[in-house]
Amino acid sequence: MGFKKELTHRERAEENLQQQRNFLESLIKSLTQPFEKEISHRKRVEEKIRQQKDFLETLIESLTHPFYVVDTNNYKIVMANSEAKKLCNSSENITCYTLTHKVNTPCDDIEEHPCPMRVMKKTKKPVTVEHIHYDPDGNARNVEVHAYPILDDEGHVIQMIEYTFDITRRKQVEEELETYRRHLEHLVEQRTIEFKKANAQLEQEIIEHRQIEGKIHTIAQRLEAVFETVGEGITLSDETGYFDIFNSKMEVITGYTKEDANNSDDFLALLYPQPSERQTAIDGIHQVRQTEKYRYVETTIRAKDGTMKTLLVSTSLVPSQNKIYFLSAYHDITARKRTEIELQKAKEAAEVANHAKSEFLANISHEFRTPLNAILGYTQILIRTKSLTKKQKEAIDTIHHSSEHLLMMINELLDLSRIEARKLELEPADVYLPGFLKGIVEIARIRAQQEGISFECEIAPDLPIGVHVDGKRLRQILINLLGNGIKFTEQGRVLFRVLNNRFSAKERNAKSLTANIRFQVEDMGIGIPSDKLEDIFLPFQQVHTGQPSTEGTGLGLPISRKLISTMGSELHVRSVVGQGTTFWFDLEVPKVEGIIVSEAQPSHHVFDLKGETRKIVIVDDKDKNRAVLKDMLVPLGFKIVEATDGHDALAKATTFHPDIILMDLIMPVMDGFETTRRIRQVPELQGVIVVGISANAFATARQESLRAGCDDFLVKPIQLNDLLEKLHVHLKLEWLDEGKHEAQTTETELKQQPIVAPPAEELVALYELTVAGDVKSILERIKEIEAVKPALAAFAAQVCQFTEAFLLDDLEKFIKQYMEVSKVPKVS
Ligand code: ADP
């Protein structure tokens, strides 16, 4: 019980206690309730503050640039984000100046220092400054500082928030930009200067351009005027055939106006009614278009009035601003064409006349040659007659000399007409140059001696030995030039120069087989007035005498010039009146290697007939011609039968059986050609030699005679030596004096002038002087002899040659040979 009581009591006490407690609790609760509210409010506020603080811290921490708060009283950093902390190595006692400037003392009182704190303390407002901060390694960095003041209740700045941006890179970029800007500015300045210059230039150019434009305008106007006055049709058309220019001359030529041409559907069809011609014109334009080449054609158009006109049209392409134009000039040659046709007819007529002239010359020369044949033949026969008196001999010499002069004129006239008729053909052969030149030099020397002037020659030592040239023609030219030099020099000297022109290094290889030889004749004579220098090359121009001279023909130079031009060169002349004249020409001639030289061939006069009778028929319708030949041949031991025409010749030849027939080719009834043809048909006359003889010296006569069946050909007047040579060759006769003058065999025969010997008493006189060794007198004597008789030039040259070389033994033999010959039976 007690326990129960106890328990009850306890329970009650506990219950009381509980009640008290509840009371107290409710009392406390009622007492603390306002505080709790307060506390919970505060807690909430604190919580909010904390949250904000966290948020702020997180925010500040998340900033990518240094952010810190400075206590403005002691400069201490009271708060800094990790970016700010990176600026400083230590984490204690950090001040703003240690953080940013790495100095130990505040720097806000340094006036030139843009310290945001100093500024803000004054203004109490946020400030942004650019500053130099130093990183932990002491490197200066450019920073932009944004500073915000934190004020206390009284408005004092107690703290400062700084937020910095490293703008070093930006600064660098800015600096670079600045440099670049300055560079640009400089460039701009320069450009400006250049531009100003260019501008000035441009302005100048514009001025010039305007001037040019003005000029172009003037030119265009002039051009238009030219187009109008040029006398040629001018058109400028585009590819569609539209005419920009169609001048008035073109309107005259065609009869169409520019409008007609442009309004016509097919203007070419109007001009060229024939489709084929039209097509040719179109093709021509296309050709110009494609080749872009100038085209020049002759064309025939039909003018508006239906007349046909021949035009020379030149068309060229004129590209202009993406367009193509055709500029054409039309020259109306209708009248000229007509004249050309007439001219052609006239030319043909002239050619016929020229041909007739040549024929006439050939015929007339034939007519001259026939009597000359007799004269020269007889003088050659008579000159050997011993019984003549001195006077008679002189008379015969004069006849001979005059006849030779006449013959020379005829030959020169023939040459000229041959050259003019382009019928002269060169007959080049291998020529032994030293011998050839020596012959010429000798002739010139003797002539000079006769004239009493000195003669010099300068022959280059390096000339080729052999050349391939027409020696006869070259000799003719040189003798003419030298002869003139001597003839027109009264005192002083004539110089003959033969030089070897060197080829240039370039030409040398290609021309190794040719020589370029200069022939030059310099005299110290009367000279030729400069206004006559061309005249001397015209036939029959003898500028000094003013009248025909017996000294020359006035044909030498025209022939020489033409011969030289036929040889592919040019004859030059230079002259000073009173001082002298120089003629020269360069000949390019093939060189001949290994030429074998012969001595001069002696002139033979007597055949060794060895007792045989050699028979000759002389056929000529002219008694005189027959008589000359007969008189030449009978004394030599030949048996002669004369025939007066072709029929007579055939009859006599058949019965007489001659060894040789000397056949005049031009005869009445039956000419020599026909007779020869018939002879060739007669079996009994097989093998008879026929030598055609004609006064026609044209090569065609020779060819024709050979075609007719002649074995050889002789030209009138007959030279005794030539005739003897033919007999020697065809009758295979030996010379009676053979062996006395052994001529060396020749591979290339020198064509020498036939040697005519002086009369016997002259020969005797010369012989005696030679035996006596009187060189001076020999030369004087021979000079005298030749002075009287130029026909002896070749003989005299040979004598001089031997004498000057002191080959008196040879000279003795040489003269003796002619002395013996002159003992030939006299002409009956
Ligand atoms: P030719 O001598 O027969 O009269 P050319 O035709 O050889 O005929 O010469 C024509 C003219 O040229 C001569 O008559 C002479 O007036 C002049 N002539 C030619 N050569 C000379 C010269 N060397 N010096 C002066 N005049 C010359």
Side-chain angles (χ1 to χ4, degrees), residues 405 408 412 480-489 494 521-529 532-533 535-547 549-560 573-575 580-583:
H405 184 73
M408 187 176 80
E412 289 191 343
N480 177 52
L481 296 180
L482 285 162
N484 280 348
I486 294 164
K487 196 160 66 182
F488 295 104
T489 302
V494 170
V521 178
E522 274 178 52
D523 67 51
M524 293 165 68
I526 49 177
I528 304 162
K532 299 281 188 234
L533 278 178
D535 294 357
I536 57 170
F537 294 108
L538 299 173
F540 306 110
Q541 292 293 317
Q542 296 182 308
V543 297
H544 294 103
T545 52
Q547 58 199 8
S549 148
T550 48
E551 274 288 314
T553 56
L555 288 171
L557 283 180
I559 291 172
S560 295
V573 58
R574 176 175 61 225
S575 186
T581 306
T582 301
F583 283 95

Side-chain angles (χ1 to χ4, degrees), residues 72-73 120-121 124 149-152 155-160:
T72 53
N73 290 321
M120 210 184 312
K121 276 180 180 168
K124 307 194 177 13
I150 299 174
L151 308 176
D152 63 7
H156 296 122
V157 180
I158 50 167
Q159 282 185 334
M160 175 182 74

Side-chain angles (χ1 to χ4, degrees), residues 512-531:
S512 63
L513 300 176
T514 14
N516 186 319
I517 304 176
R518 167 160 300 187
F519 296 91
Q520 186 164 317
V521 178
E522 274 178 52
D523 67 51
M524 293 165 68
I526 49 177
I528 304 162
S530 52
D531 60 333

Side-chain angles (χ1 to χ4, degrees), residues 752-798:
Q752 295 282 327
Q753 233 176 250
I755 295 181
V756 180
E761 64 267 39
E762 294 291 3
L763 285 172
V764 172
L766 277 173
Y767 184 76
E768 280 164 8
L769 290 172
T770 311
V771 174
D774 188 348
V775 171
K776 189 165 171 270
S777 301
I778 299 172
L779 290 174
E780 278 169 8
R781 186 77 187 221
I782 195 75
K783 203 174 104 185
E784 279 165 24
I785 295 173
E786 211 206 354
V788 206
K789 203 172 169 192
L792 301 178
F795 176 87
Q798 193 65 63

Side-chain angles (χ1 to χ4, degrees), residues 58 107 119 177 206 228 387 411 450 539 556 661 664 689 734 803:
T58 313
C107 45
V119 178
L177 272 173
I206 288 169
E228 284 309 316
S387 60
N411 285 339
Q450 286 168 0
I661 301 173
D664 184 25
I689 305 292
E734 284 177 20
T803 316

Side-chain angles (χ1 to χ4, degrees), residues 215-479:
K215 279 183 193 162
I216 289 174
H217 185 67
T218 320
I219 290 169
Q221 278 179 333
R222 283 187 198 157
L223 209 62
E224 222 166 274
V226 169
F227 282 168
E228 284 309 316
T229 51
V230 75
E232 304 257 342
I234 308 261
T235 61
L236 184 74
S237 56
D238 65 15
E239 284 186 283
T240 65
Y242 180 83
F243 290 95
D244 262 13
I245 296 172
F246 194 95
N247 74 345
S248 50
K249 178 69 187 181
M250 193 59 187
E251 295 186 347
V252 173
I253 293 174
T254 60
Y256 295 104
T257 63
K258 183 178 174 182
E259 287 66 40
D260 290 340
N262 282 334
N263 295 336
S264 154
D265 290 340
D266 191 353
F267 186 50
L268 279 180
L270 292 179
L271 297 180
Y272 299 99
Q274 289 289 333
S276 60
E277 285 169 6
R278 189 159 61 244
Q279 193 52 46
T280 311
I282 294 168
D283 290 347
I285 295 170
H286 283 162
Q287 198 185 331
V288 173
R289 175 75 175 92
Q290 273 162 10
T291 60
E292 298 188 2
K293 273 187 192 150
Y294 168 86
R295 188 165 183 269
Y296 193 69
V297 286
E298 190 180 306
T299 185
T300 305
I301 60 148
R302 193 176 69 174
K304 195 175 181 182
D305 62 5
T307 54
M308 299 308 286
K309 293 197 171 174
T310 312
L311 308 178
L312 275 181
V313 187
S314 58
T315 304
S316 51
L317 205 66
V318 186
S320 168
Q321 293 169 344
N322 306 328
K323 250 186 125 176
I324 296 290
Y325 287 92
F326 299 97
L327 179 66
S328 301
Y330 307 78
H331 185 56
D332 188 349
I333 56 160
T334 316
R336 199 181 88 190
K337 263 276 157 196
R338 220 176 291 130
T339 320
E340 263 175 23
I341 293 166
E342 280 160 19
L343 252 172
Q344 182 60 27
K345 279 188 195 153
K347 207 176 141 204
E348 279 162 16
E351 263 167 23
V352 171
N354 201 32
H355 187 71
K357 186 188 87 180
S358 297
E359 285 279 303
F360 169 75
L361 269 171
N363 291 339
I364 200 119
S365 87
H366 179 268
E367 294 307 317
F368 277 123
R369 272 165 197 271
T370 309
L372 267 177
N373 190 36
I375 299 168
L376 279 168
Y378 275 112
T379 50
Q380 285 180 83
I381 292 164
L382 285 175
I383 215 89
R384 296 186 193 166
T385 318
K386 271 204 121 184
S387 60
L388 292 177
T389 64
K390 198 171 174 231
K391 227 172 167 192
Q392 283 170 328
K393 278 192 177 152
E394 279 171 10
I396 292 169
D397 270 347
T398 312
I399 297 170
H400 193 82
H401 178 57
S402 308
S403 315
E404 276 185 336
H405 184 73
L406 209 55
L407 182 62
M408 187 176 80
M409 279 188 78
I410 292 170
N411 285 339
E412 289 191 343
L413 267 171
L414 266 177
D415 273 353
L416 199 67
S417 74
R418 266 186 228 159
I419 295 172
E420 278 177 355
R422 295 200 179 83
K423 281 191 180 149
L424 184 125
E425 279 185 17
L426 295 174
E427 292 173 20
D430 293 350
V431 169
Y432 172 64
L433 199 53
F436 172 83
L437 292 174
K438 199 168 175 185
I440 288 165
V441 164
E442 287 314 318
I443 293 169
R445 176 163 302 165
I446 289 158
R447 284 202 192 157
Q449 275 170 4
Q450 286 168 0
E451 297 295 327
I453 57 167
S454 66
F455 175 75
E456 287 167 24
C457 63
E458 190 185 310
I459 305 217
D462 58 346
L463 287 173
I465 301 291
V467 290
H468 194 72
V469 73
D470 186 335
K472 185 176 142 204
R473 295 302 182 185
L474 183 55
R475 181 184 288 110
Q476 182 181 351
I477 298 163
L478 292 173
I479 294 214

